[in-house]
Amino acid sequence: QRGIRYDLCIFRTGDGRGWGVRTLQRIRKNSFVMEYVGEIITSEEAERRGQVYDRQGATYLFDLDYVEDVYTVDAAHYGNISHFVNHSCDPNLQVYNVFIENLDQRLPRIALFATRPIRAGEELTFDYNMHVDPVDAESTRMDSNF
Protein backbone atom coordinates (compact mmCIF):
# COMPACT_ATOMS: atom_id res chain seq x y z
CA GLN A 1 0.00 0.00 0.00
CA ARG A 2 3.07 2.24 0.08
CA GLY A 3 3.86 1.92 -3.62
CA ILE A 4 7.22 1.24 -5.25
CA ARG A 5 10.05 1.55 -2.74
CA TYR A 6 12.99 0.68 -5.00
CA ASP A 7 14.92 2.75 -7.51
CA LEU A 8 13.94 1.26 -10.87
CA CYS A 9 15.01 2.22 -14.37
CA ILE A 10 13.39 1.79 -17.79
CA PHE A 11 15.97 0.76 -20.40
CA ARG A 12 16.15 -0.36 -24.01
CA THR A 13 16.94 -4.08 -24.22
CA GLY A 14 19.80 -5.15 -26.44
CA ASP A 15 18.08 -8.22 -27.85
CA GLY A 16 15.09 -6.69 -29.62
CA ARG A 17 12.53 -7.12 -26.83
CA GLY A 18 11.93 -3.36 -26.69
CA TRP A 19 11.90 -1.65 -23.31
CA GLY A 20 12.55 -3.35 -19.99
CA VAL A 21 12.86 -2.51 -16.30
CA ARG A 22 15.91 -3.04 -14.12
CA THR A 23 16.49 -2.39 -10.48
CA LEU A 24 19.18 0.05 -9.42
CA GLN A 25 19.44 -1.51 -5.98
CA ARG A 26 19.37 -4.96 -4.40
CA ILE A 27 15.92 -6.46 -3.76
CA ARG A 28 15.47 -9.14 -1.12
CA LYS A 29 13.60 -12.37 -1.75
CA ASN A 30 9.83 -12.15 -1.06
CA SER A 31 9.85 -8.33 -1.12
CA PHE A 32 6.98 -6.42 -2.69
CA VAL A 33 8.39 -4.72 -5.79
CA MET A 34 5.46 -3.08 -7.61
CA GLU A 35 1.81 -3.27 -8.54
CA TYR A 36 0.70 -3.84 -12.14
CA VAL A 37 -1.71 -0.95 -12.68
CA GLY A 38 -3.82 0.27 -15.55
CA GLU A 39 -7.36 0.87 -16.70
CA ILE A 40 -9.91 -1.74 -15.54
CA ILE A 41 -11.99 -2.79 -18.55
CA THR A 42 -14.44 -5.60 -19.32
CA SER A 43 -13.17 -8.76 -20.96
CA GLU A 44 -15.28 -7.91 -24.03
CA GLU A 45 -13.52 -4.54 -24.37
CA ALA A 46 -10.17 -6.28 -23.80
CA GLU A 47 -10.93 -8.65 -26.68
CA ARG A 48 -11.65 -5.68 -28.97
CA ARG A 49 -8.54 -3.76 -27.87
CA GLY A 50 -6.43 -6.91 -28.02
CA GLN A 51 -7.08 -7.23 -31.75
CA VAL A 52 -5.92 -3.64 -32.28
CA TYR A 53 -2.86 -4.15 -30.06
CA ASP A 54 -1.95 -7.36 -31.90
CA ARG A 55 -1.86 -5.43 -35.18
CA GLN A 56 0.42 -2.87 -33.52
CA GLY A 57 2.69 -5.63 -32.21
CA ALA A 58 2.34 -4.82 -28.50
CA THR A 59 -0.18 -5.48 -25.77
CA TYR A 60 -0.40 -4.53 -22.11
CA LEU A 61 -3.49 -6.53 -21.17
CA PHE A 62 -3.53 -8.50 -17.92
CA ASP A 63 -6.59 -10.73 -17.53
CA LEU A 64 -8.15 -10.93 -14.07
CA ASP A 65 -9.62 -14.36 -14.83
CA TYR A 66 -8.78 -16.18 -11.62
CA VAL A 67 -12.40 -16.54 -10.50
CA GLU A 68 -14.45 -15.32 -13.46
CA ASP A 69 -13.36 -13.92 -16.80
CA VAL A 70 -15.02 -10.52 -16.32
CA TYR A 71 -12.29 -7.86 -16.08
CA THR A 72 -8.88 -7.07 -17.54
CA VAL A 73 -6.22 -4.50 -16.66
CA ASP A 74 -5.11 -2.47 -19.68
CA ALA A 75 -1.83 -0.63 -19.03
CA ALA A 76 -1.46 0.72 -22.58
CA HIS A 77 -2.56 4.28 -21.77
CA TYR A 78 -2.69 4.43 -17.97
CA GLY A 79 -0.21 2.70 -15.73
CA ASN A 80 3.20 2.79 -14.14
CA ILE A 81 6.64 1.31 -14.73
CA SER A 82 5.20 -2.24 -14.53
CA HIS A 83 3.95 -1.67 -18.10
CA PHE A 84 7.58 -2.20 -19.24
CA VAL A 85 8.36 -5.42 -17.31
CA ASN A 86 9.17 -8.21 -19.77
CA HIS A 87 8.30 -11.90 -19.80
CA SER A 88 10.74 -14.62 -18.82
CA CYS A 89 10.39 -18.38 -18.45
CA ASP A 90 12.81 -18.01 -15.52
CA PRO A 91 11.42 -14.87 -13.88
CA ASN A 92 12.58 -13.09 -10.73
CA LEU A 93 9.10 -11.74 -9.93
CA GLN A 94 5.90 -13.63 -9.10
CA VAL A 95 2.36 -12.31 -9.50
CA TYR A 96 -0.03 -12.42 -6.55
CA ASN A 97 -3.62 -11.27 -6.22
CA VAL A 98 -4.06 -8.88 -3.31
CA PHE A 99 -7.17 -7.25 -1.93
CA ILE A 100 -6.94 -3.74 -0.50
CA GLU A 101 -10.17 -1.97 0.41
CA ASN A 102 -12.01 -4.47 -1.79
CA LEU A 103 -13.11 -8.08 -1.33
CA ASP A 104 -14.56 -8.64 -4.81
CA GLN A 105 -12.62 -11.68 -6.01
CA ARG A 106 -13.17 -10.56 -9.61
CA LEU A 107 -11.12 -7.38 -8.98
CA PRO A 108 -7.82 -8.27 -7.32
CA ARG A 109 -4.92 -5.88 -7.42
CA ILE A 110 -1.86 -7.40 -9.10
CA ALA A 111 1.21 -7.35 -6.87
CA LEU A 112 4.67 -8.41 -8.06
CA PHE A 113 7.00 -9.92 -5.43
CA ALA A 114 10.63 -11.02 -5.73
CA THR A 115 11.00 -14.81 -6.03
CA ARG A 116 14.69 -14.66 -5.11
CA PRO A 117 17.32 -12.06 -4.22
CA ILE A 118 17.70 -9.67 -7.17
CA ARG A 119 21.03 -7.93 -7.81
CA ALA A 120 21.34 -4.21 -8.55
CA GLY A 121 21.33 -3.75 -12.34
CA GLU A 122 19.33 -6.93 -12.99
CA GLU A 123 16.31 -6.85 -15.30
CA LEU A 124 12.95 -7.50 -13.63
CA THR A 125 10.74 -10.12 -15.31
CA PHE A 126 7.66 -12.21 -14.66
CA ASP A 127 6.07 -15.16 -16.42
CA TYR A 128 3.16 -13.91 -18.53
CA ASN A 129 1.84 -17.51 -18.63
CA MET A 130 2.01 -18.03 -14.89
CA HIS A 131 0.30 -20.91 -13.14
CA VAL A 132 -1.27 -20.72 -9.72
CA ASP A 133 0.85 -22.50 -7.13
CA PRO A 134 -1.11 -25.48 -5.65
CA VAL A 135 -0.39 -24.20 -2.13
CA ASP A 136 -1.76 -20.78 -3.07
CA ALA A 137 -4.79 -22.40 -4.71
CA GLU A 138 -5.49 -24.40 -1.54
CA SER A 139 -5.09 -21.25 0.55
CA THR A 140 -7.58 -19.46 -1.72
CA ARG A 141 -10.10 -22.30 -1.33
CA MET A 142 -9.66 -22.17 2.43
CA ASP A 143 -10.13 -18.39 2.45
CA SER A 144 -13.25 -18.69 0.30
CA ASN A 145 -14.73 -21.33 2.57
CA PHE A 146 -13.96 -19.24 5.64
Side-chain angles (χ1 to χ4, degrees), residues 20-38:
V21 177
R22 69 171 53 121
T23 178
L24 299 178
Q25 61 191 108
R26 184 177 166 277
I27 299 175
R28 292 182 183 187
K29 180 179 179 177
N30 298 325
S31 296
F32 169 75
V33 178
M34 70 182 78
E35 179 181 354
Y36 192 90
V37 296

Side-chain angles (χ1 to χ4, degrees), residues 64-65 67-68 70-71 99 102-108:
L64 302 178
D65 56 0
V67 176
E68 294 178 49
V70 179
Y71 299 109
F99 296 90
N102 169 38
L103 293 177
D104 186 342
Q105 291 185 353
R106 300 170 306 160
L107 287 169

